[in-house]
């Protein structure tokens, strides 16, 4: 007997899909059709520049041809429509080629971040039943091939590991391409295009299913708001697999408009500023801590940044004081962006006055983005009051991939996504992010689910209980602090041992607690639950201070 577990994820009800098509939001494009059209319209224009270590460029024709050859090679290896492929590449031209190759055959990239390690990758591969995993040979001092071997041995569905560079025991990506004369039919516009990762509030990240129709609409909307056109030269400084540098307006938005994407290997000013000068970069996007760094470094640099027209800042709250300093320092416009991989993206506008740009996080892309600001009982609060942000619209998912129980909590019965953000709406419809109701730490734009780290620390035999919280940090916005209660009579532990335990479990380095404090008890809420708010208050008031060495 087979059990029908239903569709992988809820999608838009028919009446909504019809409305979004009738409004011209969903136009029946796919990533494959878009690239083919751009390559036909302007084959020799530069699509992608990968500057390091030796500068390589892809014209639109080359990108289309090379991704079609990769698509044919993937298909020849039995990879097809709907198959999941975990893509774990740094900001290189191969990333763009591979992703467009997968799009062409309807296989679904699952975007891992470069910082992810064995625990995350093993989970992505097993949970998505991935058939392939794409890696660099080495990156930032880490050998990805050994990790791939371990994950492959542990994941029965994983048939292929493709390596950009020296493949070791795996398959070289350069051996995959073949003649694309018998390419299978591509996906439909309302098919899934890829799975994004959620920042997460639970022990494991959730997967976000995005369609060609919905994502391409968010690109078109973002391009219009940010003024992206064929003259745009967009620098990708954040990891290319994250939703922000991918679509706000990001490298996919830039390619949609026929512009040029410049891939930056590292985001620091010493790497990025010379590239801005050499490639005449006009636009980029970054998280607040990086914007602070760029703002400070701009005063000292000898690099010519005069080509920059617009810098987008988002992913975490950008302080008003820092926001005021960016435009004069970098000599370009600032736009704040408040988005989420689940969909909704808000931008301040190019014609907003300075006060709006520095004090709000923007307003939605689409007139069909529905915004509700509600109290704890889901009742709407008056405009200007704080409340929980709920949203529904033409590019916001109706549910996570294969997560029915989580979906019941994260979406209302009528399909609004519970963002977990606390906002207020100004009379102009701009949103101001005031805080967060979800149990998540936003470490300078990198999201940490405390539960994931708590579970790791709890596995230590000396640990009775643990609670991980975010505490205010002037540079990162927040950093992570693990409060640990030891078992009676247990071997004493020191902070480095707790950090090592997390690191050695093989998770992304940004998830290792910045601070560890040992306490006898946690503050409790009225009904006896651990009060994370109480812990954050303790941390801010500096009540305890365990030496960290
Ligand atoms: C972006 O996407 P995610 O999925 O990594 O994180 C989304 C969450 C939001 O729910 C919010 O809590 C926070 O990140 N956030 C902000 C923010 N932008 C995102 N909090 C305060 N101020 C902001 N400007 O982070 C993301 C996706 C697309 C574009 C930009 C950011």
């Amino acid at each position: 007997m087979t059990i029908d577990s239903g569709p992988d994820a809820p999608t838009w009800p028919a009446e909504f899909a019809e409305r979004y098509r009738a409004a011209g939001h969903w136009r029946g494009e796919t990533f494959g059709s878009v690239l083919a059209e751009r390559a036909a319209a302007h084959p020799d224009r530069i699509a992608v520049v990968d500057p390091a270590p030796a500068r390589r460029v892809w014209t639109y024709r080359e990108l289309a041809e090379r991704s079609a050859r990769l698509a044919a090679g993937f298909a020849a290896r039995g990879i097809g429509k709907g198959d999941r492929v975990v893509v774990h590449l740094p900001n290189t031209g191969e990333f763009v080629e591979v992703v467009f190759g997968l799009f062409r055959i309807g296989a679904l990239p699952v975007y891992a971040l470069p910082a992810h390690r064995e625990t995350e990758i093993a989970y992505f591969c097993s949970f998505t039943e991935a058939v392939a995993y794409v890696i660099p040979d080495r990156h930032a001092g880490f050998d990805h091939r050994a990790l791939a071997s371990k994950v492959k041995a542990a994941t029965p569905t994983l048939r292929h590991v493709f390596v950009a560079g020296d493949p070791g025991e795996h398959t070289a990506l350069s051996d995959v391409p073949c003649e694309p004369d018998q390419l299978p039919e591509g996906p439909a516009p309302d098919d899934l295009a890829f799975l994004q990762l959620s920042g997460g509030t639970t022990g494991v990240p959730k997967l976000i299913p995005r369609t060609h129709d919905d994502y391409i609409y968010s690109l078109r909307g973002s391009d219009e708001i940010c003024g992206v056109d064929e003259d745009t030269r967009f620098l990708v400084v954040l990891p290319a697999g994250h939703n922000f540098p991918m679509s706000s307006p990001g490298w996919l938005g830039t390619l949609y408009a026929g512009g040029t994407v410049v891939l930056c290997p590292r985001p620091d000013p010493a790497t990025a500023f010379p590239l801005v000068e050499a490639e005449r970069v006009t636009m980029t996007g970054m998280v607040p801590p990086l914007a602070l760094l760029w703002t400070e470094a701009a005063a000292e640099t000898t690099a010519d940044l005069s080509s920059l027209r617009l810098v987008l800042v988002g992913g975490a709250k950008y302080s008003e004081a820092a926001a005021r300093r960016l435009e004069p320092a970098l000599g370009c416009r600032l736009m704040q962006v408040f988005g989420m991989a689940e969909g909704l993206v808000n931008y301040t506008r190019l014609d907003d006055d300075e006060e709006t740009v520095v004090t709000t996080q923007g307003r939605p892309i689409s007139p069909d983005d529905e915004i509700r600001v509600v109290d704890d009982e889901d009742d709407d609060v008056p405009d200007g009051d704080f409340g929980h942000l709920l949203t529904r619209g033409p590019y916001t998912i109706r549910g996570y991939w294969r997560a029915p129980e989580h979906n019941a909590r994260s979406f209302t019965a009528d399909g609004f996504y519970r963002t977990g953000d606390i906002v207020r709406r100004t009379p102009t419809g701009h949103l101001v992010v005031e805080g967060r109701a979800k149990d998540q730490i936003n470490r300078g734009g990198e999201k940490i689910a405390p539960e994931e780290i708590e579970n790791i620390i709890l596995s230590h035999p000396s640990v009775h209980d643990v609670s991980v919280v975010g505490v205010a940090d002037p540079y990162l916005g927040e950093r992570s602090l693990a409060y640990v209660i030891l078992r009676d009579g247990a071997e004493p532990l020191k902070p480095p041992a707790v950090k090592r335990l997390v690191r050695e479990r093989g998770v992304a380095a940004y998830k290792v607690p910045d601070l560890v404090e040992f306490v006898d008890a946690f503050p409790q809420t009225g009904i006896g639950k651990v009060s994370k708010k109480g812990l954050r208050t303790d941390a801010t008031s500096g009540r305890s201070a365990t030496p960290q060495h």
Side-chain angles (χ1 to χ4, degrees), residues 197 199 242-244 248 313-318 336-342 345 361 419 421 433 436 438 440 442 445 447:
L197 307 180
H242 188 273
N243 195 59
F244 176 17
S248 296
V313 179
K317 180 84 185 203
Y318 193 32
Q336 292 210 48
V337 47
F338 162 42
M340 53 208 72
E342 286 81 356
V345 180
Q361 280 66 56
T419 66
D421 294 311
V433 184
R436 216 167 38 240
K438 56 190 167 191
Q440 184 180 77
N442 191 335
K447 314 301 184 316

Side-chain angles (χ1 to χ4, degrees), residues 199-203 420 436-442 448-452 454 467-470 530 532-533 536:
T201 54
T202 54
R436 216 167 38 240
K438 56 190 167 191
D439 191 14
Q440 184 180 77
I441 299 168
N442 191 335
I448 303 170
E451 189 184 320
E452 182 184 359
E454 289 164 357
S467 188
V468 176
V469 298
V530 174
K532 293 228 163 182
K533 204 165 151 210
R536 284 191 286 266

Side-chain angles (χ1 to χ4, degrees), residues 440-518:
Q440 184 180 77
I441 299 168
N442 191 335
R443 190 179 183 277
E446 292 185 305
K447 314 301 184 316
I448 303 170
E451 189 184 320
E452 182 184 359
I453 307 310
E454 289 164 357
N455 287 340
I456 297 175
I457 298 175
L458 268 179
S459 71
H460 193 285
S462 295
V463 173
H464 168 68
D465 206 353
V466 58
S467 188
V468 176
V469 298
V471 294
D473 180 83
Y475 172 61
L476 289 169
E478 273 182 289
R479 56 184 180 156
S480 63
L481 192 165
Y483 281 105
V484 178
I485 303 177
L486 293 174
R487 277 186 202 288
D488 281 345
E491 280 283 305
L493 272 179
K494 287 198 165 165
V498 176
K499 296 181 193 180
R500 204 177 323 117
L501 171 72
V502 178
R503 197 174 308 113
E504 286 175 357
R505 187 59 63 89
V507 297
Y510 63 81
K511 296 182 185 173
V512 175
D514 294 296
L515 296 163
V516 179
E517 297 280 351
F518 295 100

Side-chain angles (χ1 to χ4, degrees), residues 339-489:
M340 53 208 72
E342 286 81 356
L344 180 71
V345 180
N346 304 277
Y347 296 100
T348 57
R349 298 301 200 264
L350 288 170
D351 57 4
D352 279 342
D353 57 49
E354 190 197 330
E355 281 315 293
T356 306
V357 172
V358 300
T359 59
T360 82
Q361 280 66 56
R363 57 186 172 87
I365 291 177
S366 173
D368 284 319
D369 281 320
E370 298 173 71
I371 298 291
R372 289 185 63 201
V373 184
V374 302
D375 63 18
D376 290 345
E377 274 71 50
D378 280 357
D379 292 322
D380 293 275
V381 302
D383 253 0
D385 282 8
F386 301 142
H388 303 273
L389 170 64
L390 311 183
T391 185
R392 184 168 81 170
Y395 59 97
T396 296
I397 57 164
R398 292 302 188 109
Y400 293 101
W401 196 78
R402 295 189 183 171
E405 283 167 25
H406 192 73
N407 287 340
R409 286 193 299 276
S410 300
F411 294 82
T412 63
D414 55 354
F416 279 81
Y417 168 54
R418 298 182 186 278
T419 66
D421 294 311
I422 304 288
V423 304
R424 81 183 149 80
R425 195 167 20 184
T426 70
T428 52
H430 288 69
L431 299 176
V432 178
V433 184
E434 298 287 348
R436 216 167 38 240
K438 56 190 167 191
D439 191 14
Q440 184 180 77
I441 299 168
N442 191 335
R443 190 179 183 277
E446 292 185 305
K447 314 301 184 316
I448 303 170
E451 189 184 320
E452 182 184 359
I453 307 310
E454 289 164 357
N455 287 340
I456 297 175
I457 298 175
L458 268 179
S459 71
H460 193 285
S462 295
V463 173
H464 168 68
D465 206 353
V466 58
S467 188
V468 176
V469 298
V471 294
D473 180 83
Y475 172 61
L476 289 169
E478 273 182 289
R479 56 184 180 156
S480 63
L481 192 165
Y483 281 105
V484 178
I485 303 177
L486 293 174
R487 277 186 202 288
D488 281 345

Side-chain angles (χ1 to χ4, degrees), residues 95-169:
F95 189 116
V96 182
E97 285 186 358
V98 163
V99 163
F100 271 99
L102 295 171
F103 287 159
R104 176 63 187 80
I105 54 173
L108 311 181
V110 181
Y111 301 116
L113 296 174
H116 285 141
R117 288 296 175 260
E118 190 181 336
T119 298
E120 290 102 349
I121 299 298
Y123 172 73
F124 301 148
C125 289
S126 66
F127 182 69
T128 68
E129 299 172 294
V131 299
Y133 176 39
V134 192
I135 55 169
D137 48 9
R138 297 181 66 82
H139 177 65
F142 184 78
D143 191 332
H144 285 258
R145 294 160 297 192
L147 187 157
S149 303
K150 275 205 219 168
V151 171
K152 186 158 180 256
T155 316
T157 56
L158 195 63
R159 286 182 275 122
H160 308 279
V161 174
F162 301 118
V163 185
D166 174 1
E169 65 180 82

